[in-house]
Amino acid sequence: MSRVITVGAAQTGPIQNTDSRTDVVERLIELLRQGNAAGCDLVVFPELALTTFFPRWYVENKEEFDHYFETEMPGPETQPLFEEASRLGVGFHLGYAELTSEGKHFNTSILVDKEGQIVAKYRKVHLPGHEEHEPWRDFQHLERYYFDPGSGFEVHSAFGGILGMAICNDRRWPETYRVLGLQGCEMALIGYNTPIHYAPDPNQDRLQGFHNHLVLQSGAYQNGMWVVGVAKAGKEEGCDLLGESAIIAPSGEIKALCSTVEDELVVAECNLDLCSDYKETLFNFSRYRRPETYTRITSQTGVEIPDKIKES
Ligand code: CDT
């Protein structure tokens, strides 16, 4: 029998700073209900899906921004989402800002099963942007100021398959998918908030959509896994965020694609058995990989030009 997960990519439109958690959760519940009506087993929400993308602002005293973080999950405002998921029998993936009891701040996502139980948690590894206030920018990207880095990529037995999570900037790094792929990952869930404007090199602005699909599709293909990329999109606090949420097959083909920058659900029936078409042929890791030639990948962070090149 084939193993099919019907997945909904639940893109959201912008969340403004004045939007309350309760209002946002109501929007997520509406998307969850649409997913249920479409036969979804799993509905995937974006990165930081409960608040505006607050790292666009600098505040000298970071504690003033702690109200953007969840100290419990579910908490009073998110409990209705868990209850509706359990009532409908639909699982979900949710990105949010997490503040732990030890005072650590993470950019986090969770996977919740059809009974409304959290079965996995992931904390963002690749934190993009900058550590300090850069007033010359139109808006900040201070994830490196507000968040602590997570510790790694894991897979989980859930929804009848092997699932993994990554968050936004993680999707641009091939190591993300490969570390998941080396654990047999059959589906990666990836929420994102991607500003169209990239201040360090605005030449990249027109390519944001292309680069998004380029990395999601190549990650899927090169590791024989489904990839579900889900945006928070649209004009948020004056900042344009990319949409183009997509569900991508292990072939690298896009099977479902959002067409708006609003709350929008697109659905695909994801047959996990298609993964083996790639995992057992062209990308048969155990047969073809040569890790002894890849040692630089883990021993080195930045570029090191070999002496023989420098001397020539
Ligand atoms: N949220 C997030 O990780 N966004 C980044 C923006 C990169 S520019 C600082 C992304 O990779 O889409």
Side-chain angles (χ1 to χ4, degrees):
M1 207 176 77
S2 67
R3 296 177 300 131
V4 175
I5 310 181
T6 303
V7 175
Q11 176 178 286
T12 71
I15 299 175
Q16 309 305 345
N17 204 27
T18 49
D19 296 347
S20 72
R21 290 278 207 298
T22 306
D23 288 345
V24 173
V25 167
E26 200 45 53
R27 283 166 60 185
L28 301 184
I29 288 174
E30 170 55 26
L31 286 162
L32 195 73
R33 288 179 180 151
Q34 288 177 27
N36 179 54
C40 289
D41 300 295
L42 172 62
V43 168
V44 181
F45 297 117
E47 174 193 37
L48 298 178
L50 297 173
T51 64
T52 200
F53 189 80
F54 61 86
R56 71 167 63 89
W57 295 306
Y58 173 72
V59 63
E60 199 172 318
N61 176 7
K62 283 192 229 181
E63 282 179 15
E64 284 176 30
F65 270 15
D66 278 355
H67 64 93
Y68 289 114
F69 289 77
E70 309 301 313
T71 53
E72 48 181 340
M73 188 57 68
E77 289 137 323
T78 46
Q79 182 69 34
L81 180 64
F82 285 73
E83 284 170 7
E84 188 66 357
S86 155
R87 191 183 73 79
L88 297 172
V90 179
F92 67 90
H93 161 282
L94 178 73
Y96 63 98
E98 176 193 13
L99 174 54
T100 70
S101 50
E102 295 82 35
K104 292 276 193 186
H105 296 73
F106 295 108
N107 187 338
T108 296
S109 57
I110 48 170
L111 184 60
V112 177
D113 69 13
K114 293 182 174 192
E115 283 76 47
Q117 299 300 313
I118 297 173
V119 292
K121 179 183 276 193
Y122 166 73
R123 291 162 171 164
K124 188 173 184 176
V125 165
H126 299 100
L127 296 175
H130 44 115
E131 293 81 1
E132 286 170 18
H133 189 208
E134 297 187 1
W136 59 271
R137 292 175 183 251
D138 290 347
F139 52 85
Q140 306 294 299
H141 198 108
L142 284 162
E143 288 194 59
R144 300 175 71 81
Y145 178 62
Y146 292 115
F147 296 123
D148 298 296
S151 57
F153 299 98
E154 291 178 359
V155 295
H156 312 277
S157 175
F159 297 88
I162 304 175
L163 272 58
M165 291 181 276
I167 299 179
C168 194
N169 190 259
D170 289 326
R171 77 196 191 285
R172 301 188 192 272
W173 300 92
E175 293 87 348
T176 297
Y177 307 90
R178 184 49 51 90
V179 171
L180 289 172
L182 283 167
Q183 298 171 82
C185 184
E186 295 173 306
M187 180 180 284
L189 312 175
I190 308 177
Y192 58 93
N193 283 242
T194 293
I196 304 279
H197 179 53
Y198 182 58
D201 179 15
N203 290 326
Q204 295 179 30
D205 294 3
R206 71 178 180 86
L207 299 168
Q208 288 294 355
F210 167 63
H211 288 156
N212 178 46
H213 287 163
L214 180 70
V215 293
L216 295 173
Q217 291 179 258
S218 52
Y221 167 65
Q222 291 171 342
N223 296 279
M225 65 172 77
W226 288 87
V227 172
V228 185
V230 184
K232 168 137 65 68
K235 196 176 277 296
E236 193 179 83
E237 296 295 332
C239 174
D240 280 309
L241 298 176
L242 182 71
E244 303 187 22
S245 303
I247 302 176
I248 294 144
S251 61
E253 294 168 287
I254 294 178
K255 294 295 179 182
L257 177 62
C258 283
S259 57
T260 72
V261 287
E262 301 297 335
D263 291 6
E264 179 182 354
L265 182 89
V266 293
V267 177
E269 289 182 6
C270 305
N271 182 352
L272 300 182
D273 291 331
L274 293 180
C275 297
S276 58
D277 290 359
Y278 292 85
K279 287 185 192 294
E280 291 172 13
T281 60
L282 204 61
F283 295 108
N284 181 332
F285 288 172
S286 57
R287 184 170 185 190
Y288 296 119
R289 288 184 78 251
R290 297 283 312 283
E292 71 278 15
T293 71
Y294 312 149
T295 52
R296 284 184 187 278
I297 300 279
T298 52
S299 66
Q300 193 176 314
T301 307
V303 173
E304 289 175 23
I305 295 173
D307 287 344
K308 68 176 182 191
I309 302 292
K310 282 196 262 185
E311 285 156 13
S312 68

